[in-house]
Amino acid sequence: VAIKTLKAEYTQNPQILARFLREGVAASRIRHPHVVDVSDVGNEGELAWLVMELLEGEDLGTLLDRERVLAPERAADLLVPVLSAIVAVHEAGIIHRDLKPANIFLAKTRHGGVVPKVLDFGISKMTGVIEDGGSNPFSLTATEALLGTPYFMSPEQVLGARNATRQSDHYALGVSLYRCMTGRLPFKTPELYPTLRAIESGLFRAPRELVPEIPERFDAMIRKAMHRDPAQRFASVHALGAELLQHASPLVKAQWGHAFGEAQASLEVPPPAASHDRISSVPLNPSPWRAPTPAPLG
């Protein structure tokens, strides 16, 4: 196992301590092969700890920093299991609120494959259980108006943490797919405020404008997942996963076909605004597909 502890000086800060313990409480409620397993959480005196499975490998963000872009099939193979995990997270009444490549760990297997794992539930929202709006020590949103990593936040999250819903996780997965396919983020400026304004506007360059080799349907899927209006996104992460599965390898389609079912035959994308009991091991070897060098990060 791995034991994660909080520095002693931080245990004296009620909000930091609550956020740390929240991560363990949230993750321990999920039993899914693509969510990091947490077996114990607690604090005593100046010691706060989480006991979780020991993973070896790297996170998706590190992989993308090295390889810049992924083939559509490889991106789908890595993220279909992650979407299955988020379906389970949502079924448990939890909203992650900080999904991003850095929180998707690619755990190595002894046979050279990788098992994606969702990490870091530190700012998750546990609907109907923890978020009681008052006395519960795990309720943080009353005092924190902005939670999440700015570049992956949905337009509704930009307007306030209490606006986060399952559709906000859905949006962050769309941004992660955008990053996988283009080698850059849809919104990124040197200052925080312009970035938040850009996200709230809902205006971004379509992935195919940056990498024309991206299939039209894959491009349409990303744009729909990232629509400014939550009601115009896919109906659920399950529906997004069903569509993403159509771009996966035959092996992954066979593994996850039962869990996600068939996607719609056609994908309608509104114009931009002015079973989770399976475990998949994805080969680490890169796909031979290579997109042209994407535009510089900026």
Side-chain angles (χ1 to χ4, degrees), residues 70-114:
L70 303 182
E73 184 178 282
R74 188 174 182 215
D77 283 1
L78 288 173
L79 288 176
V80 162
V82 171
L83 267 64
S84 175
I86 299 305
V87 169
V89 167
H90 289 173
E91 288 176 349
I94 297 171
I95 302 168
H96 190 286
R97 296 200 291 185
D98 197 22
L99 290 170
K100 56 186 176 181
N103 284 339
I104 298 172
F105 195 83
L106 307 178
K108 291 182 179 179
T109 70
R110 67 177 62 186
H111 302 297
V114 59

Side-chain angles (χ1 to χ4, degrees), residues 18 40 49 69 129 147 152-153 170 288 293:
D40 189 31
W49 67 87
V69 296
V129 178
L147 293 176
F152 296 87
M153 290 174 65
H170 184 150
T293 302

